């Protein structure tokens, strides 16, 4: 019997895949709500039992455990491993149960930019005429897609998923960047980076960020690795030459030949870190044989997900930008680097991350800061140390309605030509149901700020 921990998207998909293969599966689910009961009813039709409540132990007869997002130090997983019971993740299960002739994987991970890159990559694959789907941490479980008739899967993987995926062998794999995040789950930066680096272990082509220390370090043991860079590319890299994205890795003679993939104007929304995202996606696509013209067309067809440096409105000559997805300091730093004069809206749950480097680097661009959320005081102290002349307003309270006050304060600090940028550097669950809800609250507050008949909106 195989025990699946959790009845969320990945757990339910794993249980369905097991049932379809004739395996007996039992799902343990700690929450007992309407959604969980609906999933249990659907799984029951497939012959899968769901047991509710905090488990005291594994069901008798368990021979394998499929864990979906559970931290490695959870007592149930520790007990399973001590008893010699194998613990794997949903991604590993999907890999093992692929049918003969299944679609190859183009896999990627990183602290930031994963979903943007996997969607850019999928757009390029579709533009080349391939049957392709974005799966994994992007929202569609891998276990749901492995048996379907796709030509290729674009697979976004988190460090949680890679932690228990010891045998996956993607056709090509990329590490976009590595910065401190989820250290409470992994225990240390080194273990977090090691989990990210597992994506390279059996990859046919290794793609790394030549501008990111950790990504380059993880790729160093692999000969023939392909780098992407915002600089002029060397042979074996993709990069930028003037206003062009250029390939010097997948041409017939990378020393003497370069292929034009796209222009900077094809990257939307434009920001340095989004150019890096486009280069990473292009490298993975080229590893699969996607021609240059499909890379360009894929970038032009790409529609960004919400809350990623999304322009909300221009009010009184001030731009308001929603990058609520910047849920850690590394993501916020990339966002802040995209604008020259900023009133920064920041705060939330920092998850133990340090913000001193972030504030130090951003200080010359800051015209003001408005702070909210659980860890706003830590950001205020960093601003006092590294940007002492920047005016700072703290907005107290943990109700979602504070966003109107936040936007009003930001508008007061901003001058024409400035950008009011929501790039929180922290998670949102102290005040909101998730980063989308935080971004939507910001956008609604901005739109309420617009004066009737102003004519300066989007």
């Amino acid at each position: 019997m195989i025990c699946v921990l959790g009845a969320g998207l990945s757990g339910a998909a794993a249980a369905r895949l097991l049932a379809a293969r004739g395996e007996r599966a039992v799902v343990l689910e700690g929450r007992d709500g309407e959604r969980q009961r609906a999933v249990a009813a659907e799984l029951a039709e497939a012959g899968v039992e769901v047991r509710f409540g905090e488990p005291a132990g594994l069901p008798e007869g368990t021979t394998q455990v499929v864990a979906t997002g559970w931290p490695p130090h959870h007592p149930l997983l520790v007990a399973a491993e001590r008893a010699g019971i194998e613990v794997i993740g949903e991604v590993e299960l999907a890999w093992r149960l692929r049918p003969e002739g299944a679609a190859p994987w183009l896999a990627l991970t990183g602290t930031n930019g994963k979903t943007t890159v996997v969607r850019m990559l999928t757009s390029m694959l579709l533009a080349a005429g391939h049957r392709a789907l974005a799966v994994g941490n992007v929202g569609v479980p891998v276990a749901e897609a492995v048996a379907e008739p796709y030509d290729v899967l674009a697979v976004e993987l988190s460090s949680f998923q890679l932690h228990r995926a010891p045998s996956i062998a993607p056709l090509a794999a990329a590490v976009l960047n590595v910065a401190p995040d989820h250290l409470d789950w992994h225990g240390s930066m080194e273990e977090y980076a090691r989990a990210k680096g597992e994506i390279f272990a059996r990859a046919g082509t290794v793609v790394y960020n030549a501008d990111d220390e950790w990504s380059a370090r993880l790729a160093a043991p692999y000969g023939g690795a392909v780098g992407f860079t915002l600089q002029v590319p060397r042979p074996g890299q993709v990069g930028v030459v003037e206003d062009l994205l250029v390939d010097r890795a997948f041409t017939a003679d990378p020393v003497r030949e370069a292929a034009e993939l796209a222009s900077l104007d094809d990257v939307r929304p434009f920001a340095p870190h989004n150019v890096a995202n486009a280069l990473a996606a292009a490298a993975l696509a080229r590893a699969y044989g996607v021609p240059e013209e499909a890379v360009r067309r894929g970038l032009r067809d790409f529609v960004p997900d919400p809350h990623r440096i999304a322009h909300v409105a221009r009010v009184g000559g001030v731009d308001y930008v929603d990058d609520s997805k910047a849920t850690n300091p590394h993501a916020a730093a990339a966002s802040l680097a995209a604008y020259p004069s900023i009133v920064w809206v920041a705060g939330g749950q920092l998850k133990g991350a340090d913000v001193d480097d972030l504030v130090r680097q951003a200080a010359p661009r800051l015209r003001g800061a408005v702070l909210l959320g659980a860890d706003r005081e830590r950001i205020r102290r960093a601003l006092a140390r590294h940007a002492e002349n920047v005016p700072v307003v703290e907005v107290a309270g943990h109700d979602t309605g504070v966003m109107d006050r936040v936007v009003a304060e930001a508008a007061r600090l901003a001058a024409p030509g400035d950008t009011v940028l929501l790039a929180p550097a922290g998670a949102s669950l102290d005040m909101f149901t998730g980063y989308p809800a935080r971004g939507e609250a910001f956008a609604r507050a901005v739109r309420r700020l617009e004066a009737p008949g102003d004519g300066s909106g989007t």
Side-chain angles (χ1 to χ4, degrees), residues 314-411:
R314 175 171 290 174
V315 183
V318 175
D319 289 313
Y320 290 78
V321 175
D322 166 17
D323 197 14
S324 184
K325 185 60 173 66
T327 57
N328 56 57
H330 184 266
S335 189
L336 288 161
Y339 303 96
S341 183
I342 301 164
V343 175
W344 183 28
V345 177
Q349 297 164 302
L350 294 178
K351 299 174 289 184
D354 181 76
V355 292
D356 279 84
D357 285 346
L358 165 66
V359 172
R360 188 183 300 111
Q361 293 168 14
R365 299 170 179 268
L366 298 181
R367 299 297 172 263
V370 182
L371 309 180
L372 74 165
D375 289 333
R376 64 184 185 277
E377 173 63 19
R378 289 184 54 199
I379 301 176
R380 187 196 63 76
R381 290 198 298 266
L383 286 162
R385 286 191 291 270
H386 306 297
E388 60 182 356
N389 294 323
V390 172
V392 177
V393 176
E394 289 189 65
V395 178
H398 286 80
D399 60 291
T400 57
V402 302
M403 194 60 85
D404 281 294
R405 302 202 303 277
V406 166
V407 168
E409 292 291 351

Side-chain angles (χ1 to χ4, degrees), residues 23-248:
E23 299 281 356
R24 184 187 171 208
V26 172
V27 177
L28 304 186
E29 173 54 56
R31 291 163 295 181
D32 188 354
E34 185 177 342
R35 188 193 65 79
Q36 288 80 18
R37 286 287 171 179
V39 171
E42 181 259 327
L43 289 176
E45 294 180 2
V48 176
E49 178 188 358
V50 178
R51 300 180 184 178
F52 291 98
E54 192 63 33
L58 294 173
E60 188 175 349
T62 297
T63 57
Q64 187 182 58
V65 173
V66 179
T68 58
W70 289 41
H73 52 268
H74 191 282
L76 209 61
L77 302 183
V78 172
E81 290 175 335
R82 284 177 179 166
I85 298 172
E86 184 184 34
V87 180
I88 63 172
E90 172 257 336
V91 171
E92 176 70 14
L93 178 75
W95 179 262
R96 293 184 187 184
L97 296 184
R98 292 172 306 136
E100 186 176 352
W105 294 10
L106 302 175
L108 60 97
T109 191
T111 302
N112 296 303
K114 296 186 294 296
T115 298
T116 296
V117 173
V118 82
R119 294 205 187 283
M120 283 180 169
L121 171 60
T122 305
S123 185
M124 294 173 188
L125 294 166
L126 293 171
H130 300 297
R131 294 171 298 173
L133 183 69
V135 299
N137 198 51
V138 72
V140 178
V142 189
E144 194 172 290
V146 286
E148 299 300 320
Y150 292 103
D151 296 327
V152 58
L153 294 177
V155 187
E156 176 189 333
L157 297 174
S158 70
S159 59
F160 300 168
Q161 292 167 315
L162 285 163
H163 180 77
R164 296 198 183 278
S167 69
I168 64 168
L171 179 72
V175 173
L176 308 179
N177 46 64
V178 184
D181 202 11
H182 302 302
L183 303 190
D184 51 347
W185 200 94
H186 290 281
S188 69
M189 181 63 189
E190 289 69 24
E191 179 56 26
Y192 172 59
R194 186 205 64 76
K196 293 288 189 189
E198 281 298 302
I199 202 170
F200 286 156
R202 290 157 298 279
T205 299
V206 166
V207 175
Y208 70 97
N209 185 346
D211 302 330
D212 183 89
E213 179 185 355
W214 271 105
S215 179
R217 187 187 306 181
L218 293 170
Y222 302 96
V226 174
F228 64 92
T229 175
L230 294 177
Q231 308 303 315
V232 174
R234 300 193 301 269
Q237 294 183 335
V238 295
V240 179
V241 178
E242 296 181 347
D243 64 342
L244 299 177
L245 277 59
V246 171
D247 172 9
R248 293 190 68 192

